[in-house]
Amino acid sequence: MKILTVVGARPQFVKAAVVSRNMALQDGIQEFILHSGQHYDDNMSAIFFEEMRIPTPHFNLNINGGHHGEMTGKMMAGIEQKILEIKPDALLVYGDTNSTLAGALAAAKLHVPVIHVEAGLRSFNMRMPEEINRILTDRISQILFCPTTRAVENLQREGFDLLDNRVELVGDVMQDAALFYAADAASMAKVFHTLELETGSFLLVTCHRAENTNDPERFGQILQALNELAERQTIIFPVHPRTRQLFKTQSIHSNLKLIDPVGYFDMILLLKNCQLVITDSGGLQKEAYFFQKHCITMRDETEWVELVDGGYNVICGADARRILTAFEQFQTAQFKPGADLYGGGQAGERIVSFLMDWL
Ligand code: UD1
């Protein structure tokens, strides 16, 4: 079976590391990797391929920047060409980015079955480009691999039981990655040491969502909360290029420790050693849980509701007061590891074994 995998943005490299490694173990699967080029800086892309030993992409479309329509349209055209060239038996996409939607649309129009890893997640916020991408991708996929029971339920509520496709609960490939690379990270990560950080002495922060960075009121609230916290505690903030641009153009000054985006190994060590996580990232909310850290989420909703239900994550919007209150509450709270919410690290194996049977 020939599978064409489309990746393009940072979180997809982490997920592809897991699934591609499992596919390589099977003689029956030949994988071609196509990088859309959406993320292109070395520390947003190349470092993940190197550290996580992901096979070098067969193709790179080098498409990035521009508005959503332009980016997605150009990617669709490029992916379509490669589908016609390779004639894959299926096309595999991850998550909810513009690269995901472009791959799924190009394949579906050519009647190539679409496999969606991380299907069924919903924020119920249609103003997020990611929500639009994931709903449309799910609808045109033949095989939907869900990371959580809630994701399966979301699809059932949307009537997927009536459609001609397969919805499979496999767990979250990001948990596989966290478990598989933890030992490498411990010996190879650098940033934690070069910054001379001490375990439990710092907060780990990321912020890159368009809903926060493109809205001065929201970003102002976030900065206010972080600056207040920085008076009491070191804040380590690996800055996404979009957010970096904002700091530069608005000449924003802060006492946060702003560092360049870090690779996966460095992120793992920072996660293992921080006091807690403050973020608007989807992936980091779960990684905090994998490394037994509480998380304050600077969004109005989350796709990972089981973490909120379990008391591990608090949704604070872009509201300085709520962020500070959540911090106070978590400061005295003990992290109590709970149920296995994400499949226990076998999602990659389950996905590939399903695909082998589906052949
Ligand atoms: C994308 C995804 C989002 C995911 C995130 C992970 C969509 C709609 N959004 O958002 O779901 O959580 O990736 O990071 O697909 N840039 C650089 N260097 C890079 C990458 C980006 O300078 O290596 C710049 C881009 O040119 C652009 C900005 O950063 O100006 C934002 O990048 P973009 O790919 O549009 O979306 P993300 O915010 O990264």
Side-chain angles (χ1 to χ4, degrees):
M1 173 164 55
K2 268 197 260 180
I3 292 185
L4 177 61
T5 296
V6 173
V7 293
R10 185 168 55 175
Q12 289 160 345
F13 309 141
V14 175
K15 293 162 198 166
V18 171
V19 179
S20 294
R21 177 166 41 79
N22 279 283
M23 282 205 237
L25 299 173
Q26 299 293 341
D27 288 339
I29 298 182
Q30 186 183 15
E31 187 188 30
F32 293 84
I33 298 179
L34 182 151
H35 190 324
S36 68
Q38 181 169 353
H39 286 176
Y40 49 91
D41 289 341
D42 280 352
N43 55 16
M44 296 285 289
S45 176
I47 188 169
F48 293 87
F49 284 85
E50 282 156 27
E51 282 185 341
M52 303 178 90
R53 302 179 293 280
I54 307 167
T56 307
H58 297 75
F59 315 105
N60 191 326
L61 302 180
N62 290 311
I63 295 165
N64 46 65
H67 290 296
H68 286 275
E70 182 189 355
M71 190 202 278
T72 313
K74 281 184 181 163
M75 285 177 188
M76 264 185 83
I79 296 166
E80 182 175 64
Q81 217 175 24
K82 293 299 167 198
I83 295 174
L84 292 170
E85 209 175 295
I86 298 171
K87 301 188 177 45
D89 298 293
L91 178 134
L92 187 148
V93 287
Y94 297 98
D96 56 19
T97 71
N98 288 341
S99 305
T100 312
L101 179 62
L105 273 172
K109 294 282 179 92
L110 290 171
H111 307 150
V112 171
V114 178
I115 303 164
H116 188 199
V117 175
E118 209 180 62
L121 295 179
R122 297 290 181 266
S123 67
F124 303 100
N125 176 358
M126 287 301 284
R127 291 184 61 80
M128 286 174 65
E130 292 85 354
E131 181 77 351
I132 299 169
N133 291 342
R134 55 171 90 100
I135 288 175
L136 298 179
T137 300
D138 280 343
R139 184 61 187 79
I140 55 177
S141 293
Q142 261 69 60
I143 301 178
L144 297 100
F145 289 122
C146 296
T148 60
T149 46
R150 183 63 74 105
V152 174
E153 287 161 11
N154 287 339
L155 294 175
Q156 284 167 344
R157 261 198 299 273
E158 290 175 20
F160 275 68
D161 286 346
L162 305 172
L163 301 178
D164 182 22
N165 53 28
R166 292 288 300 266
V167 173
E168 296 291 318
L169 176 63
V170 290
D172 189 340
V173 290
M174 288 189 71
Q175 184 169 28
D176 298 30
L179 292 169
F180 187 81
Y181 293 101
D184 284 349
S187 61
M188 290 166 75
K190 296 190 196 85
V191 170
F192 175 71
H193 305 292
T194 48
L195 293 178
E196 297 181 359
L197 296 167
E198 275 169 40
T199 302
S201 71
F202 63 96
L203 313 180
L204 178 60
V205 172
T206 76
C207 177
H208 78 276
R209 291 268 168 196
E211 72 217 51
N212 286 331
T213 56
N214 294 357
D215 181 335
E217 169 67 25
R218 288 181 72 96
F219 198 66
Q221 284 278 316
I222 287 170
L223 270 185
Q224 187 189 324
L226 295 180
N227 278 329
E228 221 166 288
L229 291 174
E231 309 254 315
R232 302 151 61 173
Q233 208 122 5
T234 304
I235 293 194
I236 302 298
F237 188 164
V239 190
H240 182 285
R242 184 217 298 280
T243 318
R244 173 71 74 182
Q245 193 61 16
L246 196 64
F247 274 102
K248 232 192 254 167
T249 52
Q250 314 276 311
S251 307
I252 296 168
H253 295 287
S254 72
N255 24 344
L256 316 175
K257 181 109 189 109
L258 305 180
I259 60 173
D260 286 337
V262 296
Y264 190 66
F265 292 171
D266 278 322
M267 192 49 117
I268 286 190
L269 217 61
L270 290 173
L271 277 161
K272 266 189 178 168
N273 289 289
C274 70
Q275 187 193 329
L276 60 82
V277 174
I278 306 180
T279 190
D280 62 3
S281 153
L284 213 56
Q285 293 174 51
K286 279 169 302 151
E287 286 169 333
Y289 178 74
F290 299 152
F291 292 101
Q292 307 199 354
K293 301 295 146 110
H294 290 119
C295 180
I296 294 172
T297 297
M298 301 185 292
R299 286 178 49 195
D300 297 327
E301 65 282 306
T302 182
E303 299 79 22
W304 309 105
V305 282
E306 53 286 332
L307 294 178
V308 178
D309 294 346
Y312 303 106
N313 187 342
V314 176
I315 300 297
C316 293
D319 181 327
R321 192 186 46 80
R322 283 166 68 193
I323 295 168
L324 294 168
T325 307
F327 175 76
E328 295 299 341
Q329 282 165 358
F330 276 148
Q331 261 220 319
T332 49
Q334 191 79 353
F335 189 99
K336 295 197 191 81
D340 180 3
L341 301 171
Y342 297 104
Q346 264 116 52
E349 267 170 56
R350 291 190 191 111
I351 287 170
V352 171
S353 119
F354 179 92
L355 292 177
M356 292 301 291
D357 289 344
W358 180 68
L359 258 170

